[in-house]
Amino acid sequence: MPVPTSPVIRRVRLGAELRQLRRREALTLEQVCDRLGWASTSKLSRIELGQSRPDLADVLDLLDVYQVPAPTRDALIVIARDAATSRGWWKTFGEMSERQRTYAELEAGAAHIVEYQPAVVPGLLQTPAYARLRVAAGALLTPEVDVEAEVRARALRQEVLRRADPPRYTAVLAEAACDPGDLPVAVWREQLRHLVAVSGLAHVTVRLLPRGVAGDGLHPLTPYSWYAFPDPADPRTVMLEALTTDVRLTTALDVDRYERMTEALLAAALSPEETVTALARRVGE
């Protein structure tokens, strides 16, 4: 069975490799684009920054300019094909928004995922009814959102936890994320029951962070997700969830800090068994 890959991360890795090769040859963006007859440097810049799906022919031209020998060339061609491909189940789901698609691509290629949520249940663990209320609330700020399409897309993303080779998944939830708030009681209880049920999967762990407790005094300011991939050369990645545009971090320094944050939160959280007991007790309240 082929190892799953994340197109968005392969783009980041490909860009970094190509940038390193260009610098090794002591070439500027302008010099490379002049040799290839490209109209401006923006195309090459976006490829190096992992911001666009690369055309394989363009990558082959770049490898020629940089005089890359085999087997390095062959390895980079494989990465380029992964980076350019929209394969998998998300390719057939045209309704998925670009924002959800980014998360879907990260999740589909990940070997390990950790999510921290201070206020809501993570998308991968939401029931349809809970997801519908959350998406509808967000649509008050962005009326163009198709609520039902977003709910269907979220459910489709969740299939990653049901596939034959699922990633290891850990959710760290602040206690407020499991409060009913203004949710209908039936929706709230169904969601809690679902959290208890998915906790029974061997590759899924849910940890509850009690009120007034934070790991070594650390308080994450925003929800975040951490991803590691089967190929250790693919950059570990952190996504920070914001109101409008999410932030992707891939530098080792940034990711290391969030990994230390995650370790502190896990040390402070209830154990998986204690979490299931606490959630089951809430269902009966």
Side-chain angles (χ1 to χ4, degrees):
M1 180 179 295
V3 175
T5 60
S6 169
V8 65
I9 292 303
R10 296 299 249 189
R11 291 197 293 272
V12 172
R13 179 174 169 191
L14 176 67
E17 298 273 8
L18 292 174
R19 183 169 58 252
Q20 185 176 12
L21 289 169
R22 177 176 60 79
R23 290 174 175 172
R24 187 196 66 186
E25 296 298 311
L27 294 170
T28 66
L29 292 171
E30 291 79 5
Q31 289 170 327
V32 174
C33 291
D34 285 345
R35 293 190 184 186
L36 294 176
W38 291 358
S40 71
T41 61
S42 61
K43 178 178 179 178
L44 180 54
S45 178
R46 288 181 61 80
I47 291 174
E48 290 190 357
L49 292 173
Q51 295 177 343
S52 62
R53 295 186 184 277
D55 184 281
L56 184 57
D58 291 336
V59 174
L60 293 175
D61 288 341
L62 290 169
L63 296 179
D64 288 340
V65 170
Y66 303 148
Q67 303 179 60
V68 180
T72 302
R73 181 186 181 90
D74 295 337
L76 288 174
I77 289 173
V78 170
I79 295 172
R81 285 176 175 150
D82 291 339
T85 299
S86 290
R87 67 189 179 189
W89 45 262
W90 65 85
K91 182 180 179 180
T92 62
F93 204 80
E95 294 177 303
M96 188 176 288
S97 67
E98 188 62 30
R99 198 172 189 184
Q100 278 219 73
R101 190 182 299 275
T102 297
Y103 281 97
E105 290 188 350
L106 287 165
E107 293 156 358
H112 190 190
I113 302 170
V114 177
E115 294 199 84
Y116 166 74
Q117 273 288 353
V120 301
V121 174
L124 286 180
L125 301 181
Q126 293 178 1
T127 64
Y130 182 97
R132 185 170 293 106
L133 290 174
R134 291 304 179 194
V135 174
L140 296 176
L141 297 177
T142 52
E144 70 275 10
V145 169
D146 184 331
V147 174
E148 291 304 316
E150 285 291 287
V151 172
R152 290 194 297 272
R154 196 160 300 187
L156 195 61
R157 280 174 52 202
Q158 294 172 0
E159 290 300 313
V160 73
L161 297 180
R162 304 285 182 178
R163 72 188 188 195
D165 57 338
R168 287 186 295 131
Y169 177 81
T170 300
V172 183
L173 308 181
E175 193 169 359
C178 298
D179 286 344
D182 57 356
L183 293 174
V185 172
V187 173
W188 175 63
R189 284 181 170 162
E190 180 190 37
Q191 180 61 68
L192 292 185
R193 291 192 187 100
H194 182 64
L195 289 177
V196 172
V198 295
S199 296
L201 299 174
H203 57 282
V204 174
T205 302
V206 179
R207 304 283 298 274
L208 195 61
L209 194 64
R211 284 187 178 85
V213 175
D216 294 336
L218 297 174
H219 294 269
L221 299 179
T222 61
Y224 69 88
S225 306
W226 171 92
Y227 306 87
F229 304 93
D231 187 339
D234 285 348
R236 293 164 297 142
T237 298
V238 170
M239 290 290 291
L240 305 182
E241 188 174 332
L243 181 63
T244 54
T245 302
D246 297 337
V247 178
R248 185 173 70 224
L249 305 175
T250 57
T251 64
L253 180 62
D254 288 335
V255 174
D256 286 346
R257 288 175 177 171
Y258 274 90
E259 289 177 349
R260 291 197 296 272
M261 173 81 75
T262 299
E263 290 172 0
L265 292 175
L266 289 172
L270 299 180
S271 70
E273 296 76 18
E274 291 170 333
T275 295
V276 169
T277 298
L279 293 174
R281 183 171 61 248
R282 280 170 170 260
V283 172
E285 291 176 351

